[in-house]
Amino acid sequence: MTRTRMTVLAVLAVTGCIALLSVTAATSSSAGHKVTVRIVHQVHAGGRIEFALQVRDADKSWGERLLPRARFFPTTAAPGRWLSATPLTVRAPGAGDDAEAIEVRITARRLADGQTEYKLPDGYVEFALQQRRVDGEWGERLLPAARFLHIQAPVGHWSRGGWLTLCLPMASAAMFEDIGSAASDRAALVALYHDTQGAYWSNSTNWLSDRPLHEWHGVTADHCGRVTDLFLQLQQLRGAIPPELGNLAELYSLDLSLNELTGSIPAALGDLPRLKWLGLSHNRLTGPIPAELGDLPRLERLSLSHNSLTGPIPAELGNLTLLRTLSLDRNELTGAIPAELGMLARLRILSLDRNELAGPIPAALGNLAQLVWLDLRENELVGPIPGTLGDLARLKALRLSGNALTGPIPADLGSLTRLESLWLDNNRLTGPIPPELGNLTLLESLMLGNNHFIGCVPVALRAVASTDLVGLALPHCD
């Protein structure tokens, strides 16, 4: 089999697998100003290819096939020439016939040998979709991920193409509540510019201009003009974060780290239903962590470290069931570590170090089966080290230094066979060093100093590259 043929098969496998993936992953039920459609097609016995359109309903099922009047693609067409079907009218699921609609048309072309970046051989047809603009002209071709069909595909079988998400006219979108618009997104960005001294940013290219939002520095927007990502790290933003950012209903990522932001974190950021990444670290933010951040159902990364935040860690953060990273280190947080954090089943990184947290380490943290990094050092934690931490089978770093922990080192920690760093120094731990720690064969750093251990140092720990065992003044076990 030639390398070209193998590449083609790999491409077809990938495009087939992603046929059920959306280009923007939006559905009409979660964003009323959008409607999700897909192109479907079948090969007829005579060789012609018939195509149609389906609209995704609010319950995520697909509606009946919408058939354009001109809906057959001749496989004898000249390669490379786009042919267009007659237009179709699409409305939001559940909207009445009097609601405004989108006018779209399916376009298709036969590919020449090696055409497109996938270098497909002769015999493939590529499908796309166009949406009528407000000026009456047809917009750019929208290309779903899975958009190719071979002219020798099985006859009489409707194949499913990839999904596409279209924008409804705002008059139709108005029947949905709290979805915002491209105009409201622009207003939120204008508020950010003014409230954070945009004239002095390191780079404010196109901000406040009439250019499309995706051309403003640090802004990504979808083809509906809605802001999806806002990255303004290290841009010398000064001032408070405006609550208007809570209106960016389509926002996936918000990163304002490494600036000079002051004031509190707006509770309105808890109104961002699609947000996956919130980065506000390395600023000068003060005040409490809003409990409303626990209302972000899709959040995967929350980084608020290196600020001057005060007050307790909200127990509501335990609602963030998709969270993978929680970094709250180097603030002035007080109170106990909420046991609710033990419900974050997907959490991989938990950094709460260098705060003023008090109370015991919750045994519930032992439920974090995916945890790789646990850093609680330099707080005011008391009580014993929970033996349940020995259940963290994936853990590579456990850092509890600089607290007021008491009692013995649990022998259960010897079960952490992936552990590379164990820091327990500068506490009030007592008892012998468990010989089970000798099971930690991947250990590279072991800090136990400034405690009250008795007995001897297990022989196996002599092989650890970086330790403070000499300062313990304990003999090695025979």
Side-chain angles (χ1 to χ4, degrees):
M1 183 179 294
T2 66
R3 178 172 297 181
T4 300
R5 180 61 175 167
M6 292 175 65
T7 301
V8 170
L9 290 177
V11 169
L12 293 178
V14 171
T15 55
C17 289
I18 61 181
L20 296 180
L21 296 178
S22 169
V23 170
T24 61
T27 65
S28 56
S29 60
S30 60
H33 65 296
K34 295 182 178 182
V35 59
T36 302
V37 299
R38 71 180 180 188
I39 302 170
V40 295
H41 27 58
Q42 68 170 337
V43 177
H44 282 252
R48 295 187 304 172
I49 298 175
E50 183 181 15
F51 47 80
L53 195 70
Q54 286 182 294
V55 178
R56 195 176 191 185
D57 292 329
D59 63 0
K60 298 186 178 181
S61 63
W62 290 99
E64 62 181 7
R65 286 187 288 271
L66 305 177
L67 302 173
R69 187 172 63 255
R71 61 180 184 275
F72 293 95
F73 181 83
T75 55
T76 56
R81 181 187 176 190
W82 286 100
L83 302 179
S84 301
T86 48
L88 288 166
T89 298
V90 175
R91 290 183 173 84
D97 292 339
D98 57 343
E100 288 191 70
I102 303 172
E103 193 173 25
V104 298
R105 69 179 183 183
I106 299 170
T107 65
R109 65 173 177 173
R110 180 168 180 169
L111 297 178
D113 189 24
Q115 194 172 356
T116 80
E117 69 275 19
Y118 295 115
K119 306 300 181 185
L120 296 175
D122 193 23
Y124 282 90
V125 177
E126 180 178 20
F127 289 88
L129 198 67
Q130 288 181 291
Q131 182 175 345
R132 180 92 71 179
R133 300 196 307 247
V134 293
D135 61 5
E137 299 296 324
W138 289 103
E140 63 180 326
R141 291 184 183 87
L142 304 175
L143 302 174
R147 60 183 183 273
F148 304 108
L149 178 69
H150 198 276
I151 60 176
Q152 294 182 353
V155 173
H157 173 70
W158 283 100
S159 302
R160 299 172 294 183
W163 303 355
L164 283 167
T165 300
L166 308 174
C167 311
L168 284 167
M170 285 314 299
S172 293
M175 64 184 175
F176 298 91
E177 298 180 355
D178 302 325
I179 61 171
S181 64
S184 64
D185 284 6
R186 184 180 291 265
L189 296 185
V190 170
L192 175 66
Y193 181 90
H194 288 308
D195 287 5
T196 60
Q197 303 181 36
Y200 300 99
W201 291 0
S202 299
N203 188 339
S204 59
T205 301
N206 289 331
W207 278 72
L208 302 191
S209 74
D210 58 359
R211 303 295 299 170
L213 293 182
H214 71 268
E215 295 184 16
W216 292 22
H217 175 73
V219 178
T220 302
D222 61 21
H223 69 275
C224 298
R226 303 302 304 274
V227 176
T228 57
D229 303 278
L230 183 57
F231 291 108
L232 292 173
Q233 315 97 314
L234 203 61
Q235 293 296 311
Q236 299 185 22
L237 276 66
R238 301 181 179 91
I241 301 171
E244 286 87 345
L245 293 188
N247 296 330
L248 300 175
E250 298 296 319
L251 199 64
Y252 284 88
S253 305
L254 174 60
D255 194 343
L256 306 179
S257 57
L258 296 163
N259 285 293
E260 300 176 34
L261 295 169
T262 55
S264 59
I265 299 173
L269 296 187
D271 296 331
L272 300 173
R274 297 181 178 275
L275 198 66
K276 292 185 176 182
W277 178 0
L278 177 57
L280 303 176
S281 63
H282 293 83
N283 281 288
R284 302 176 184 175
L285 298 171
T286 56
I289 298 173
E292 288 81 358
L293 296 188
D295 296 331
L296 299 172
R298 300 189 184 183
L299 200 65
E300 297 178 5
R301 178 178 176 183
L302 177 59
S303 180
L304 307 178
S305 62
H306 292 258
N307 281 289
S308 298
L309 300 172
T310 56
I313 298 173
E316 289 81 356
L317 297 187
N319 297 330
L320 305 176
T321 55
L322 299 183
L323 201 65
R324 296 179 181 273
T325 298
L326 179 58
S327 298
L328 307 179
D329 51 286
R330 303 190 195 217
N331 281 287
E332 300 170 19
L333 300 173
T334 56
I337 299 173
E340 287 82 355
L341 297 186
M343 297 189 296
L344 303 176
R346 299 192 182 186
L347 199 67
R348 293 177 57 83
I349 297 174
L350 179 58
S351 295
L352 306 180
D353 52 289
R354 283 164 279 197
N355 281 286
E356 299 171 18
L357 299 171
I361 299 174
L365 296 187
N367 297 329
L368 304 176
Q370 302 299 315
L371 204 64
V372 173
W373 183 279
L374 177 58
D375 196 341
L376 307 180
R377 60 189 154 131
E378 297 183 35
N379 280 287
E380 300 172 12
L381 301 173
V382 298
I385 299 173
T388 55
L389 298 187
D391 296 331
L392 303 176
R394 297 177 180 269
L395 202 65
K396 293 185 177 181
L398 177 58
R399 299 183 173 181
L400 306 179
S401 309
N403 284 287
L405 300 172
T406 55
I409 299 175
D412 309 75
L413 299 188
S415 300
L416 302 175
T417 55
R418 299 189 186 184
L419 204 64
E420 299 174 2
S421 174
L422 178 59
W423 294 4
L424 305 178
D425 55 299
N426 292 290
N427 279 289
R428 300 174 186 173
L429 300 173
T430 55
I433 299 173
E436 288 83 358
L437 296 188
N439 299 331
L440 307 180
T441 57
L442 299 182
L443 206 60
E444 298 176 356
S445 178
L446 175 63
M447 298 296 165
L448 300 178
N450 290 317
N451 281 290
H452 306 289
F453 297 121
I454 59 174
C456 56
V457 177
V459 174
L461 298 181
R462 297 179 189 176
V464 180
S466 176
T467 73
D468 60 358
L469 294 177
V470 173
L472 296 181
L474 294 176
H476 289 290
C477 301
D478 295 331

